[in-house]
């Protein structure tokens, strides 16, 4: 979904590598073959498989202690329904336990975090690792690794240097692995499976947590690994089947890992990642990760597909109306009375939270964008009937320009998805320049939000595209303000936050479903998004100062901001 800088020299290198490593030329026309920029690994020894037991349940006393720390000592309210337990600080979700899976998530209350130099509390991590209800003692092994760091910075006036970046959280991860051959290989998984991630604050206390773990036992099946030629052929097949076989796909890395579905098994797989370019030899505009079964026996449990070429039975977006009923096409709308009714319950219904989704059309990954958009909507919808699927369109620059009054600024929550680069994204591969929209020159001049001057509604903008929200550290010293400056125009309209990525990120529809659920349960939009999507890329967010803890139900209009905050993961 994401753009990086063009690298001519590298493009050359990939092509020559591809010529050196032909892949079953008889089977596919050459233009349908991906390029391999790496060699498949060689393994000979038979591979172990594991079966999984019941999910561990994170110990209640430790959980309660972590939740009250995460809320900064504020008073907690607990709610419960058939599928889970939920802990709130005020109206913001801080903790969630899923009764159907035994997964536990704790999110920090961002406004309570203090900046400073953060180190992992290794004593505490070792103690947690030794707890049999947190990490099962079995034939798998685990090690403590340093994860991502959450930083933040503020800017008070457009064009001025923002505050020095400060650190707020640091992740300590207990990484599961499988002994094989001379070493160990990581347990991997797309969106489920074992995980134990703890976020530490400046005082060495745990403020965030993500836990799911099932004890594993060896099965008596030992699988013969695929040969390097077979691995390359299978990856080629998978990319071709996904419509991504062309030379625009470059496979960057292949490794052996053990896929944990979170269901019944841990099975050996070859994991690969690939960059996709919109133009042959052009910059990478997307990242994907895929898994192929490690032996000829095939998958012991279904593995995620890269994409479903026709997006299955999922509802497809409509084409945006360039001349919606009741409008004079030459005049963008500016009064509510003119608006055509939105689908679903009236947007004026008390308490309805309207969602608009805008997806890049005319692209090899457009079906993946459909899957992601449906994941987000079904996640939100599963938590509350207050959500209204108000708009679902193929994207277009008009969604954001003076016509935003009808589109993006006519809903409370907007989701856009496609390819992106710093402060810019593509809306439609079929339009000149792929319908590029630049923040802020291509946006409605009065900004987005529910302020009196725009008369709009937007409170949160979720950007699924890569790299659109760079951090001050992504610019040379002394130019950190460039990360903030274009956003003032947007925030002057009264919007509360925009969330997205500061770098390339992977597509992952199940994760978007999880974001929908997390936000629907009332997590901070900023950190609910940033921590849930972190496994797919370096997430970031820009928010009005002091609005980092707001949840998706807080949508009323705000005046012009006097300060903006950027949060980012490293
Ligand atoms: C969750 O934990 C409980 C208590 O240990 C156990 O009975 C149940 O089977 C677990 N759930 C799953 C999905 O494994
Ligand atoms: C592909 O995976 C490898 C190993 O995990 C990683 O080092 C590399 O950065 C990934 N490539 C991209 C483009 O993300
Ligand atoms: C992936 O695609 C194959 C073939 O279409 C299908 O049989 C399999 O169930 C799919 N896997 C998942 C996880 O949907
Ligand atoms: C739209 O407005 C312009 C300028 O007022 C006018 O010339 C044109 O006829 C109008 N078009 C329609 C379809 O009403
Ligand atoms: C609203 O639209 C009308 C007709 O299109 C136009 O004359 C007027 O200037 C617009 N008002 C604002 C505040 O943009």
């Amino acid at each position: 979904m994401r753009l990086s800088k063009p690298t001519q020299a590298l493009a050359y290198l990939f092509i020559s590598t591809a010529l050196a490593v032909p892949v079953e030329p008889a089977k596919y026309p050459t233009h349908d073959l991906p390029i391999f920029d790496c060699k498949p690994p060689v393994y000979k020894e038979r591979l172990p498989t594991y079966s999984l037991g019941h999910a561990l349940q994170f110990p209640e006393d430790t959980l309660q202690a972590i939740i009250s720390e995460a809320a900064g000592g504020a008073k907690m309210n607990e709610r419960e329904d058939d599928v889970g337990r939920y802990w709130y600080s005020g109206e913001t979700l801080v903790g969630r336990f899923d009764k159907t899976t035994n997964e536990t998530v704790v999110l920090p209350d961002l406004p309570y975090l203090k900046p400073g130099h953060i180190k992992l509390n290794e004593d505490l991590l070792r103690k947690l690792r030794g707890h049999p209800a947190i990490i099962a003692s079995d034939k798998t092994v685990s090690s403590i690794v340093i994860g991502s760091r959450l930083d933040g910075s503020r800017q008070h006036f457009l064009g001025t240097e923002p505050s020095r970046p400060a650190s707020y959280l640091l992740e300590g991860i207990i990484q599961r692995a499988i002994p094989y051959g001379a070493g160990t290989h990581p347990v991997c998984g797309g969106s489920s499976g074992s995980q134990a991630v703890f976020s530490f604050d400046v005082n060495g206390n745990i403020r965030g947590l993500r836990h799911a773990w099932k004890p594993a036992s060896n099965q008596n099946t030992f699988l013969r690994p695929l040969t390097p030629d077979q691995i390359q052929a299978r990856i080629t097949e998978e990319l071709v089947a996904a419509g991504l076989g062309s030379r625009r796909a470059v496979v960057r890395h292949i490794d052996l890992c053990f896929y944990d579905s979170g269901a019944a098994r841990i099975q050996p797989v070859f994991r690969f990642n690939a960059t996709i370019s919109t133009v042959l030899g052009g910059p990478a505009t997307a990242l994907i990760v895929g898994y192929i079964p490690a032996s000829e026996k095939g998958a012991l449990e279904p593995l995620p597909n890269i994409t479903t070429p026709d997006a299955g039975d999922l509802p497809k977006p409509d084409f945006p109306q360039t001349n919606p009923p009741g409008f004079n096409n030459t005049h963008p709308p500016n009064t509510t009375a003119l608006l055509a009714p939105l689908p679903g319950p009236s947007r004026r219904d008390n308490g309805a939270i309207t969602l608009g989704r805008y997806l890049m059309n005319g692209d090899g990954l457009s079906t993946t964008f459909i899957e992601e958009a449906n994941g987000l909507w079904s996640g939100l919808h599963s938590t509350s009937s207050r959500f209204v699927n108000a708009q679902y369109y193929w994207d277009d620059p008009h969604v954001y320009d003076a016509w935003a009054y009808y589109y993006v600024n006519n809903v409370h929550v907007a989701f856009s998805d496609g390819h992106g680069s710093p402060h810019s994204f593509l809306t439609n591969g079929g339009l000149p320049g792929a319908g590029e929209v630049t923040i802020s020159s291509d946006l409605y001049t009065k900004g987005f939000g529910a302020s009196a001057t725009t008369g709009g509604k937007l409170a949160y903008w979720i950007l699924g595209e890569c790299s659109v929200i760079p951090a001050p550290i992504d610019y040379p010293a002394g130019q950190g303000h460039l990360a903030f400056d274009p956003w003032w125009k947007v925030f002057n309209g009264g919007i509360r936050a925009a969330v997205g990525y500061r770098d390339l990120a992977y597509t992952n529809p199940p994760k978007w479903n999880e974001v929908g659920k997390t936000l629907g349960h009332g997590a901070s939009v900023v950190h609910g998004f940033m921590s849930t999507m972190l496994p797919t890329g370096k997430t970031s967010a820009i928010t009005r100062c002091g609005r980092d803890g707001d949840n998706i139900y807080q949508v009323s209009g705000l005046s012009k901001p006097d300060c903006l905050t950027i949060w980012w993961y490293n």
Side-chain angles (χ1 to χ4, degrees):
M1 303 203 273
R2 345 284 155 177
L3 284 175
S4 70
K5 304 221 164 60
T7 38
Q8 292 294 350
L10 278 181
Y12 246 115
L13 182 69
F14 305 147
I15 290 161
S16 53
T17 312
L19 292 176
V21 191
V23 184
E24 298 194 0
K27 201 161 170 187
Y28 302 109
T30 315
H31 64 263
D32 270 351
L33 294 181
I35 294 167
F36 282 79
D37 182 38
C38 57
K39 283 205 173 63
V42 185
Y43 292 104
K44 299 238 164 73
E45 216 175 294
R46 286 181 176 256
L47 294 155
T49 68
Y50 294 79
S51 64
L52 294 168
H54 291 301
L56 301 179
Q57 199 171 328
F58 200 86
E60 179 75 16
D61 51 345
T62 313
L63 178 61
Q64 290 304 331
I66 292 174
I67 286 174
S68 64
E69 265 167 19
K75 192 178 162 310
M76 302 296 305
N77 299 309
E78 182 174 347
R79 297 177 202 161
E80 185 162 1
D81 63 18
D82 291 349
V83 292
R85 293 168 71 195
Y86 312 89
W87 292 270
Y88 291 85
S89 162
E91 286 303 307
T92 303
L93 180 84
V94 180
R96 177 157 74 93
F97 170 72
D98 188 323
K99 293 179 188 171
T100 62
T101 61
N102 285 357
E103 284 174 29
T104 307
V105 174
V106 176
L107 299 160
D109 206 353
L110 281 190
Y112 287 95
L113 293 178
K114 300 264 179 309
H117 180 65
I118 309 183
K119 285 193 304 206
L120 291 191
N121 184 338
E122 290 194 35
D123 288 345
L124 183 50
L125 275 171
R126 272 193 287 272
K127 215 184 282 171
L128 294 165
R129 183 162 71 144
H131 196 306
I134 298 177
I135 304 298
S137 122
D138 57 21
K139 290 287 167 52
T140 67
V141 296
S142 66
S143 57
I144 292 172
V145 298
I146 296 178
S148 303
R149 194 182 71 230
L150 177 70
D151 286 357
S153 164
R154 290 181 164 202
Q155 188 195 43
H156 286 277
F157 300 98
L158 189 147
T160 60
E161 263 313 273
S163 63
R164 275 169 70 97
S167 299
Y168 291 82
L169 289 175
L170 179 65
E171 286 182 344
I173 299 174
I174 302 178
Q175 172 65 52
R176 196 175 205 177
I178 302 288
Y180 170 72
T184 64
H185 292 264
V187 168
C188 54
S191 54
S192 48
S194 28
Q195 43 186 327
V197 182
F198 300 88
S199 292
F200 290 92
D201 69 9
V202 66
N203 297 319
N205 293 325
I206 295 175
R207 302 292 287 256
L209 140 72
R210 185 170 290 274
H211 178 262
W213 207 278
K214 288 181 169 181
S217 43
N218 277 78
Q219 288 186 304
N220 292 326
T221 30
F222 285 88
L223 305 170
R224 188 197 304 277
L226 298 178
T227 65
D229 283 353
Q230 287 173 315
I231 295 170
Q232 190 156 334
R234 295 288 152 78
I235 292 174
T236 300
E237 269 167 34
E238 177 141 342
L239 287 167
V240 170
L244 298 169
S246 71
R247 299 175 58 82
R248 295 189 290 108
V250 181
V251 179
R252 305 285 179 172
H253 188 85
I254 308 170
D255 67 357
L256 171 70
C257 65
F258 287 80
Y259 190 87
D260 179 351
S261 62
R265 287 171 193 268
I266 295 182
Q267 61 177 316
V269 297
F270 288 107
R271 167 176 63 180
F272 64 95
N273 61 19
T275 52
I276 313 287
S277 309
T278 324
V279 182
L280 182 61
T285 56
L287 278 184
I288 51 164
V289 63
Y291 307 89
I292 56 160
S295 83
E296 278 190 320
K297 214 164 167 239
L300 307 181
E301 251 179 355
L303 293 168
N305 293 321
I306 297 175
T307 183
T308 316
D310 59 357
D313 297 332
L314 295 175
K316 314 288 186 296
D318 292 325
F319 286 95
Q321 298 159 288
T322 45
N323 193 3
F327 288 144
N328 181 333
N329 201 8
T330 61
H331 285 291
N334 64 14
T335 69
T336 315
L338 281 175
L339 289 177
L342 295 169
S346 159
R347 66 189 181 283
R348 294 185 194 86
D349 278 0
N350 236 353
I353 305 292
T354 50
L355 173 71
R357 294 170 297 162
Y358 312 96
L359 311 182
M360 183 180 180
N361 199 358
D363 184 75
L365 285 173
S366 287
T367 54
T368 306
F369 305 146
I370 291 177
E371 293 177 282
E372 295 190 321
N374 280 283
L376 177 68
W377 163 245
S378 58
L380 280 173
H381 187 56
S382 71
T383 62
S384 168
S385 55
R386 287 174 66 182
F387 293 103
V388 175
N389 173 23
Q391 297 196 3
Y392 183 34
Y393 288 123
W394 287 119
D395 213 354
D396 186 291
H398 286 313
V399 163
Y400 311 92
D401 65 12
W403 285 84
Y405 189 90
Y406 183 74
Y407 294 110
V408 76
N409 208 16
N410 193 21
V411 294
H412 295 122
V413 181
F415 169 67
S416 54
D417 206 0
H419 296 274
S421 58
H423 297 134
S424 138
F425 56 95
L426 304 179
T427 57
N428 187 335
L431 293 175
E436 183 170 8
V437 170
T438 298
I439 295 168
S440 62
S441 54
D442 295 327
L443 306 182
Y444 178 52
T445 49
K446 289 175 183 164
F448 297 156
S451 74
T453 48
T454 72
K457 294 192 181 60
L458 193 66
Y460 305 102
W461 185 2
I462 302 171
L463 291 128
E465 302 92 348
C466 295
S467 314
V468 185
I469 309 182
I473 56 152
D474 296 323
Y475 291 87
Q479 293 177 36
H481 66 94
L482 295 176
F484 286 87
D485 292 349
W487 292 103
W488 283 87
K489 187 164 124 182
V490 184
F491 278 78
N492 281 341
I495 183 179
R496 290 173 185 236
V499 298
Y501 296 94
R502 56 177 276 246
D503 201 351
L504 293 176
Y506 290 103
T507 58
N508 189 326
K511 277 281 170 201
W512 284 99
N513 183 262
E514 198 184 324
V515 166
K517 284 187 187 155
T518 304
L519 301 189
H521 283 302
S524 132
V525 172
V526 169
H527 202 253
F529 170 87
M530 286 182 70
S531 67
T532 307
M533 295 313 280
L534 186 53
T536 65
K538 290 172 182 167
T539 48
S540 54
I542 179 151
T543 171
R544 288 172 66 102
C545 294
R547 294 292 168 179
D548 346 75
D550 288 3
N551 69 49
I552 201 164
Y553 300 97
Q554 295 172 282
V555 295
S556 58
L558 300 173
S559 57
K560 286 190 180 184
D562 54 11
C563 165
L564 297 177
T565 303
I566 295 182
W567 290 100
W568 68 94
Y569 271 105
N570 291 283

